[in-house]
Amino acid sequence: MDWLNLPPLSALRAFAAYTETGSVSRAGDLLNVSHAAISQQLRSLETRLGVALIDRSGRSLKLTEEGRQLADAVEAGFGRIGHAIDALTGAELDRPLAVSTSPSFAANWLMSRLGEFQVLHPEIDIMISPTPALVDPSPGGIDLCIRYGAGTWPGVESERLLTSPITVVAAPSLIGDLDPQTPEDLLPFPWIEELGTNESTLWLESRGVFTSLRRSRIQVPGNLMLDGARNGQGIVVSTLVAVEEDVRAGRLRVLFEDRMDDGYHLITRPGVHRPPLKAFLRWIRKSAREESRARVTVSSDRS
């Protein structure tokens, strides 16, 4: 880091406050200085960098392309600093722990285990945000994301929680005794997808058979997808973790497996974690380890 080449912190704070509010006057209010002081800091920053950060040619000010680039950088930098300070000083202790995950993982794995965490940590409030959208952890927002994949997401810290292949499953009442040898054997049947995702579409397309699908696809919220599969309403592409109990009970049959090395990952922002998040991470890691050991034991007993 070339510290001598960095602009003064006061100028960067003024620029960050301006980009956050979009107003010189409101930026001054945020920093408890006059709008003239903000304007002076902005011009000083432009002079120091040798580039125009603000376009003043119109009736209202707006950022130049260079200004937008610097705005993204200072927002991320000050955001991480503020997040770390809040975590170190305990300023966020009263804020509920916010966890984002897919509706299917929440319904079929996480919710049944949360009671144990609440017994261990009754002082921690939790907010589960089930969404199929790819959400990033953010200061003052989502603390933890649980994502499915290979674990290669940029800009975040990723730790594998559970390995879980992709599985194609259906109820015996729908599929009968059929032993499909190729995806083409499944084309005459209806399919169910989690609303906002396209796992079954991608799976069929990757095998070159999606355009040949002869029955409809039904999209439902994630917590209803497996209900539909159990009732014989369609074939589902899910993860082994989500359907294990149904497969063991005979409610669903595994027809195909794929992506054997993928799984669920714990996604956090780089830096210091606040105490509620640390406690939750310790608990969910332990819970996943215990489940993995139990799965190995069951497999050994069967063999």
Side-chain angles (χ1 to χ4, degrees), residues 248-299:
R248 281 197 295 267
R251 292 186 292 267
L252 295 174
R253 286 181 50 206
V254 175
L255 308 176
F256 291 97
E257 283 190 308
D258 201 357
R259 296 170 63 178
M260 305 300 291
D261 295 328
D262 283 2
Y264 289 96
H265 294 75
L266 303 173
I267 307 300
T268 56
R269 289 175 59 83
V272 179
H273 297 157
R274 63 194 187 101
L277 176 56
K278 290 180 181 179
F280 189 84
L281 290 173
R282 284 194 300 270
W283 167 78
I284 199 170
R285 289 171 184 139
K286 180 175 181 291
S287 184
R289 285 196 301 268
E290 291 174 350
E291 176 170 308
S292 296
R293 284 196 293 267
R295 188 182 297 123
V296 170
T297 301
V298 170
S299 299

Side-chain angles (χ1 to χ4, degrees), residues 169-181:
V169 296
S173 61
L174 174 70
I175 207 76
D177 295 326
L178 177 68
D179 182 18
Q181 302 301 305

